């Protein structure tokens, strides 16, 4: 039987200088708690705080700073002028599909003859490979442009050269020790790239090239923010760090979504019942899974067609198809997760198993990445799930914060055929007979880095707060710190020594509902999934400490503030908290 999920370890960020907080309150006229959060996150100067709270497009970098961006755009424009056929090669996830759709639309708006293509997960495998080259041959393409793929595709790029196809790689994955030979390779993670944002999504890289194409041609058809809603969709779905520039793009992309001209996105939002202002949560948990589902259990091409069509009837049909794929994906994911937990239970040893590698011939390769994420949430260990089919095996890896899973996988590269990814997620292929050797290598690499760690999730509250400070104006002001996600989490507060006012209710799904009170005020609270590790009887009587985020709901027309609990329990000692780096650099 598996041990219970590890309880989080939490602390409070170092208190910022009082003069900083006072200056923010005086010049910005904001609540104390919000000023503390701003200062804690590196925005202690009023000018920096204003820039952060009002992310402006004027501060975006020059896209020409991307290495190879200028020759890449010149080659695409030459292909448009000469009437060459251009194959745009995406990938089968949201980032690759959105990037391919964005580039296809922009090149077509310039008059380009464009054939879009996305590989099939099962037939074609991961990354730019033989299927893409064959698609280029079939289309008669003399130029192939990738989106979200190709940085490590050495063999495929050499084959394309032999076939007299120029390839422009646009990607954001971590490069290998050497770059493959391409006509141009546009990736902000190149060591020789001076572009100031390494953390662009794959679609973000394409967006910057589209901006550069617009500048070079002066075409009003591209405009200053070409399809920025697709950038927001991809950036959130790919869990890309919301650094300064990414946050600007996501903010404006979310604003554009409700009124998007993209017929496919409109149909998808209608099917998924997403209305009004769109939040990062609605993108990450409602829209993106439906697009991803096409590549996971069906035909990724349908999702690309959805984002490319201008026909409302066709868009509605494709959106319904993605809805059906998503239902199938959820059922398959639940089954694989149950089987993975059952397989792990008899042998899992937290003192020995620092990195987990599980494999099966019965697991659909389209859902193993999601299930790996579920296992990481459950056990807080870097995890690789492998789907075996005949004499091939495909793996998908997910990590815990602070652990570079790509580096750990690279140490075992002698056991792999192909691999690539990021610090937090990666993919690979290998021969089934090499799985055991890779498992040993991966666990060794994980153990060398993690053996001395307290392997529990870590919560760092931004500040201690009194319940009387939790007001409607505070919660409304906090919205300006969004959009939230990786690198820019929602503000986290700690209320010390509060009491639970009345009985704790256990809701369906293992959620805890309660009312908190201190000497100053009371606050409604809910802990999603907390019943699995917090016994309600331990919360009464006596004081407790509560760590929570704040949300403002509307109940029958009346604003209702609610605390979303991250943890709650008996008061803890107050050790000194080490300093932490801000979520992003001050503007």
């Amino acid at each position: 039987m598996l041990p219970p999920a590890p309880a989080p370890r939490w602390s409070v960020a170092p208190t910022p200088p009082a003069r900083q907080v006072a200056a923010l309150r005086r010049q910005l006229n904001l609540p104390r708690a919000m000023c503390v959060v701003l200062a804690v996150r590196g925005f202690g100067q009023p000018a920096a705080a204003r820039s952060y709270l009002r992310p402006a497009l004027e501060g975006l970098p020059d896209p020409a700073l991307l290495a190879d961006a200028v020759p890449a755009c010149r080659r695409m424009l030459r292909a448009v002028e000469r009437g060459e056929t251009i194959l745009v090669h995406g990938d089968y996830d949201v980032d690759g599909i959105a990037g391919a759709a964005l580039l296809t639309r922009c090149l077509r708006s310039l008059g380009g003859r464009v054939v879009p293509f996305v590989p099939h997960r099962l037939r074609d495998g991961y990354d730019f490979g033989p299927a893409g080259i064959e698609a280029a041959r079939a289309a008669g393409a003399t130029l192939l442009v990738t989106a979200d793929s190709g940085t490590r595709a050495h063999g495929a790029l050499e084959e394309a050269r032999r076939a007299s196809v120029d390839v422009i790689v646009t990607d954001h994955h971590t490069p290998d020790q050497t770059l493959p030979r391409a006509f141009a390779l546009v990736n902000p993670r190149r060591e020789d790239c001076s572009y100031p944002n390494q953390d662009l999504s794959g679609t973000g890289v394409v967006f910057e090239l589209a901006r550069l194409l617009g500048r070079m041609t002066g075409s009003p058809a591209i405009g200053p923010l070409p399809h920025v809603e697709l950038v927001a969709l991809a950036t959130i779905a790919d869990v890309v760090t919301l650094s300064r520039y990414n946050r600007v793009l996501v903010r404006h992309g979310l604003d554009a979504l409700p009124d998007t001209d993209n017929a496919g996105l409109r149909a998808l939002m209608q099917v998924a019942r997403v209305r009004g202002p769109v939040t990062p949560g609605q993108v990450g948990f409602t829209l993106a899974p439906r697009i991803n589902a096409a590549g996971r259990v069906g035909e990724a091409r349908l999702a690309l067609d959805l984002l490319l069509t201008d026909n409302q009837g066709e868009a509605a049909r494709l959106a319904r198809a993605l809805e059906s794929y998503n239902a199938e994906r959820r059922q398959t994911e639940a089954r694989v997760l149950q089987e993975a937990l059952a397989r792990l239970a008899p042998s899992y040893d937290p003192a020995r198993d620092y990195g987990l590698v599980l494999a099966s011939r019965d697991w659909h390769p389209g859902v193993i990445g999601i299930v790996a994420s579920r296992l990481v949430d459950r056990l807080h260990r870097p995890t690789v799930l492998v789907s075996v089919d005949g004499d091939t095996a495909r793996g998908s890896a997910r990590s815990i914060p602070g652990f570079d899973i790509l580096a750990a996988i690279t140490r075992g590269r002698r056991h792999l055929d192909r691999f690539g990814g990021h610090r937090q997620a990666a993919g690979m292929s290998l021969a089934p007979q090499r799985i055991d050797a890779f498992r040993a290598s991966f666990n060794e690499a994980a153990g060398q880095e993690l053996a001395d760690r307290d392997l529990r999730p870590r919560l760092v509250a931004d500040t201690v707060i009194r319940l009387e400070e939790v007001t409607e104006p505070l919660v409304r002001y906090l919205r300006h710190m969004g959009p939230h996600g990786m690198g820019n989490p929602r503000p986290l507060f700690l209320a010390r020594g509060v009491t639970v006012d009345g009985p704790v209710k256990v809701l369906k799904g293992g959620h805890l509902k309660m009312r908190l009170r201190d000497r100053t005020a009371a606050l409604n609270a809910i802990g999603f999934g907390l019943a699995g590790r917090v016994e309600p009887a331990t919360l009464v009587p006596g004081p407790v400490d509560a760590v929570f985020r704040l949300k403002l709901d509307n109940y029958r027309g009346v604003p209702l503030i609610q605390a979303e609990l991250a943890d709650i329990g008996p008061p803890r000692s107050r050790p000194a908290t080490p300093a932490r780096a801000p979520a992003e650099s001050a503007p």
Side-chain angles (χ1 to χ4, degrees), residues 346-370:
S347 60
Y348 175 64
D349 181 358
R352 178 196 64 206
D353 300 325
Y354 293 98
L356 304 176
V357 178
L358 300 173
S360 173
R361 293 185 179 273
D362 299 321
W363 292 345
H364 194 297
V367 302
I368 55 176
I370 310 174

Side-chain angles (χ1 to χ4, degrees), residues 227-426:
H227 308 288
V228 70
E229 62 270 39
L230 292 177
V231 183
L233 181 72
T235 301
I236 294 169
D238 223 47
V239 199
V240 174
T241 300
L242 292 186
S243 59
R244 173 185 175 185
Y245 305 113
N246 287 343
R247 184 167 161 269
V248 172
L249 296 176
V250 171
R251 167 76 73 89
H252 289 271
L254 290 175
D255 289 344
L257 263 173
D259 301 313
T260 179
D261 293 331
N262 190 299
L265 282 178
R266 290 200 308 270
L268 187 66
M269 287 190 287
Q270 184 173 3
V271 165
R273 299 179 181 178
V274 172
R275 302 182 181 89
V278 181
T279 66
Q282 288 174 312
V283 170
F285 299 107
T286 304
L287 298 179
R290 285 162 169 79
I291 296 174
N292 264 332
R296 293 190 187 282
V297 299
E299 291 283 348
R301 178 59 198 239
L302 294 187
L304 179 59
D305 289 344
L306 176 78
L307 297 183
L308 288 174
T309 186
D310 293 318
N311 183 286
Q312 293 183 3
E314 179 73 356
R317 182 188 69 81
L318 291 168
R320 289 192 297 270
L322 265 58
E323 185 75 9
S324 177
Y325 280 148
N326 193 50
E328 179 182 350
R329 185 271 307 171
R330 293 175 67 178
Q331 293 175 355
T332 305
E333 174 193 332
R335 176 184 62 80
V336 173
L337 176 60
Q338 184 178 21
E339 291 177 5
L341 290 170
R343 179 166 300 196
L344 190 61
S347 60
Y348 175 64
D349 181 358
R352 178 196 64 206
D353 300 325
Y354 293 98
L356 304 176
V357 178
L358 300 173
S360 173
R361 293 185 179 273
D362 299 321
W363 292 345
H364 194 297
V367 302
I368 55 176
I370 310 174
V371 176
S373 294
R374 301 284 184 266
L375 291 175
V376 170
D377 293 341
R378 175 72 169 77
L379 300 170
H380 205 65
R381 294 289 197 279
T383 301
V384 181
L385 255 64
V386 181
S387 172
V388 182
D389 182 15
D391 59 356
T392 63
R394 298 187 179 115
S396 192
R398 298 294 184 271
S399 192
I400 60 176
F403 180 76
D404 187 342
I405 202 164
L406 183 60
I409 290 170
T410 301
R411 289 186 53 177
R413 66 188 305 162
R414 65 187 182 280
H415 307 301
L416 306 175
D417 296 329
R418 299 174 66 190
F419 68 97
H422 313 285
R423 290 178 58 88
Q424 293 295 298

Side-chain angles (χ1 to χ4, degrees), residues 32 62 82 112 131 400 415 472 480 569:
R32 182 206 68 88
D62 181 354
R82 294 178 177 178
I400 60 176
H415 307 301
E472 184 180 337
H480 292 279

Side-chain angles (χ1 to χ4, degrees), residues 503-522:
V504 177
K505 297 180 181 179
V506 181
L507 307 180
K508 183 179 180 180
H511 313 315
L512 297 181
K513 187 175 183 180
M514 67 196 76
R515 187 168 175 82
L516 304 177
R517 182 178 295 278
D518 65 10
R519 295 178 180 179
T520 65

Side-chain angles (χ1 to χ4, degrees), residues 9 11-15 458 460 575-581:
R9 178 170 57 92
S11 55
V12 185
T15 303
R458 187 185 179 199
V460 182
T577 304
R580 69 172 184 177

